[in-house]
Amino acid sequence: MTEYFSFKEAMKYLGVKSHKTLNYYIKQGLPVTIIGNSKRISKTAIDDFMQAHTAAVHPTKAVVNHD
């Protein structure tokens, strides 16, 4: 697997089907590498971006410990 993805490859790696979603991620800070007319997104940048935007999800139901 290559380190740098085309936008289409990046979308597949992320598991998204909409260019709007990818553009939203870019607006939220996902870095894009631009060389001439070529735009690429690195696998490392995607992994770092997703890790930075990972939130812990807590259950809404309280857990009671009866010890």
Side-chain angles (χ1 to χ4, degrees):
M1 184 178 289
T2 182
E3 171 63 21
Y4 289 91
F5 297 134
S6 67
F7 278 23
K8 185 176 181 178
E9 292 167 331
M11 288 170 51
K12 184 175 179 180
Y13 181 71
L14 284 162
V16 299
K17 295 183 181 190
S18 168
H19 283 280
K20 284 184 177 184
T21 302
L22 182 61
N23 286 330
Y24 176 76
Y25 290 172
I26 292 167
K27 286 180 182 177
Q28 294 299 311
L30 177 61
V32 175
T33 301
I34 302 172
I35 301 173
N37 292 330
S38 179
K39 295 180 181 178
R40 297 284 185 251
I41 302 173
S42 80
K43 178 184 179 299
T44 302
I46 292 171
D47 293 339
D48 291 347
F49 176 81
M50 295 303 283
Q51 183 64 40
H53 289 84
T54 299
V57 177
H58 299 285
T60 56
K61 190 174 183 179
V63 177
V64 179
N65 186 353
H66 293 288
D67 288 341

